[in-house]
Amino acid sequence: MGNKAEIHVACNIDSNYVKYCAVMLTSLLENNSDSCVHVHVIAASLPEGGQSVLRGVVEGRYGQKLSFHFPDASMLDGCRVNEGSYISLATYYRIFLGSILPPDVAKVLYLDCDLVVNGSVAPFWNTDISDVALGCVEDMWSGRPGIYERLHYPAQASYFNAGVLLVNLDRLRVTGFERRAIEYLAAHADRLEMYDQDLLNALLHDDKRFVPHRWNVQDGFLRRRRAERMPADSVRVLEKELEHPVIIHYTGAKKPWHYKSQHPWRNLYFRYLDMTHWRGERPAMPLGYRLKLASDSLLRACGLMKPKYLKFTKI
């Protein structure tokens, strides 16, 4: 790979997400073989078996670099998620990337594990964010005014999704972002319905650069009723962006590995899953749910029910 600059990629997981992390990394590295990628996995702890799985993907199969980071548990003091939430407390490690990653890592591409990368991330990585803290994609709920009332900043700044972020770590370090985040948590934790995503928006809404939607195609972008969630201008732009999606982000509680998922591009997750040692694994669908799907299909055919998703060509 010569002297190519490294693309630093970070993700944070717990032991329950090793499989999904392996699929995400497989998709990333399968489609970026012409780049030097250094993967940073952040976790409170991770059994050796889980570490071995991820080494096998990153180092063994693709010959790329892998580093594990295990921050002290006290780093997340003051952070919270609601009991029973599908979101893990580990999500807050995004706030502390500047401290967790080595000081010589000036920029990082943060990726959630509930996504697949279906193309080169080099154009995204090369986006100029030298004068802002983040490169990001607007959130699928950005049209909801309640967000801005709750977080106390103007709606004109919009609201971004934190599952895919190009992070200017040097800027966060010199502006004291982590200190400000801790202070915000202590004073305004009651405002944070979407946890660290809300926190990031509250503090960085005026220090970001929006990038094309193709870099974080969220579930809501594909929904028939997306115009109720997003500004009209964004919906018009989406039409072109969805012709060439690169990062497919399975936002929400129903993931491709759940039998209730009806995501139009669910097949992509299984394509990359089948490149791992979980090849062929599929969620078992109860008979009752199969009958429900058949009934819904009949109702849609008769015009008595509208589909949740728009129609998209499989990719």
Side-chain angles (χ1 to χ4, degrees), residues 179-250:
R179 173 186 51 77
R180 292 188 289 128
I182 291 168
E183 291 171 355
Y184 190 96
L185 271 169
H188 305 299
D190 58 319
R191 296 181 185 174
L192 306 180
E193 291 182 5
M194 293 304 295
Y195 310 123
D196 66 307
Q197 178 169 284
D198 277 356
L199 176 54
L200 286 161
N201 273 276
L203 295 181
L204 300 176
H205 60 269
D206 56 355
D207 196 15
K208 68 175 187 305
R209 176 159 296 124
F210 276 134
V211 298
H213 298 87
R214 75 189 71 147
W215 299 116
N216 185 359
V217 178
Q218 301 148 56
D219 180 276
F221 292 178
L222 311 179
R223 296 261 182 162
R224 182 178 58 82
R225 298 175 65 179
R226 62 192 180 186
E228 299 173 16
R229 309 177 180 200
M230 300 177 67
D233 288 348
S234 297
V235 174
R236 283 192 289 272
V237 172
L238 267 178
E239 297 301 324
K240 281 291 182 187
E241 285 298 303
L242 294 178
E243 292 176 8
H244 304 286
V246 181
I247 299 178
I248 314 301
H249 188 186
Y250 302 105

Side-chain angles (χ1 to χ4, degrees), residues 138-139 142 148 153-160 201 205 208 210 231:
E138 73 174 318
D139 190 74
S142 60
Y148 310 102
Y153 72 84
Q156 292 91 325
S158 195
Y159 181 85
F160 58 85
N201 273 276
H205 60 269
K208 68 175 187 305
F210 276 134

Side-chain angles (χ1 to χ4, degrees), residues 23-41:
V23 175
M24 182 275 284
L25 292 175
T26 295
S27 71
L28 168 71
L29 300 175
E30 186 72 18
N31 291 295
N32 289 272
S33 58
D34 57 345
S35 298
C36 296
V37 181
H38 188 159
V39 176
H40 300 268
V41 174

Side-chain angles (χ1 to χ4, degrees), residues 144-162:
R144 294 292 178 91
I147 294 172
Y148 310 102
E149 295 165 5
R150 177 165 50 82
L151 297 180
H152 297 188
Y153 72 84
Q156 292 91 325
S158 195
Y159 181 85
F160 58 85
N161 181 274

